[in-house]
Amino acid sequence: QVQLVESGGGLVQSGGSLRLSCAASGPISLTSFSIYVLDWYRQAPGKQRELVASISPDGRTDYLDSVQGRFTISRANAKKSVYLQMNSLKSEDTAVYYCHIARSTGRPYDVWGQGTQVTVSS
C-alpha cells in the first residue's frame, strides 16, 4: 500500500518560514508518481479541511487566496516527493497540514498522509 510520510512541521514565530516535505513509499513507480496531482491541505481546530496548494503533473500550480504569494508548492518526481515552502507565516496558518496525492488519469485512486502540525506564534 502506498504511504505518504510528511516532515518539516513545527513551531515558528510570526513572519518566519517552514518547509514541509512529503515522500511517497511503497508500490508506486516513478512513472506512476509523475501522473499524480499533488496537494497540500490543512485543518485548523474547529474548522473544515481546506485545500492550500496543488500542483499538476505538468507543473501547473494553484493556491488558496490567503497563501498566494507566501507559499510555494513544488514536486520532485525522481524522489517521489512534494514540498511546500511557507514564508511570511501568520498565526492563522496554524493547522495540521496534510499531503495528498491523486491519480490524474485512469481509475480514481488517492492517498493521504498522516499530517504534520504547524504552529505559528504571534
Side-chain angles (χ1 to χ4, degrees), residues 48-103:
Q48 289 189 329
R49 190 172 296 189
E50 62 181 356
L51 177 61
V52 176
S54 180
I55 185 165
S56 67
D58 62 0
R60 287 173 295 151
T61 58
D62 195 19
Y63 296 94
L64 183 68
D65 285 347
S66 62
V67 308
Q68 181 76 45
R70 300 188 296 121
F71 291 11
T72 303
I73 188 171
S74 60
R75 64 191 296 160
N77 292 336
K79 296 182 179 181
K80 292 186 280 187
S81 295
V82 58
Y83 309 97
L84 186 67
Q85 177 67 43
M86 304 185 294
N87 299 327
S88 302
L89 282 161
K90 306 175 181 179
S91 57
E92 51 263 44
D93 295 319
T94 295
V96 178
Y97 284 70
Y98 297 90
C99 175
H100 174 256
I101 66 172
R103 276 190 191 144

Side-chain angles (χ1 to χ4, degrees), residues 13-31:
Q13 287 189 334
S14 180
S17 299
L18 283 175
R19 185 179 190 240
L20 304 183
S21 300
C22 172
S25 63
I28 179 169
S29 68
L30 295 179
T31 301

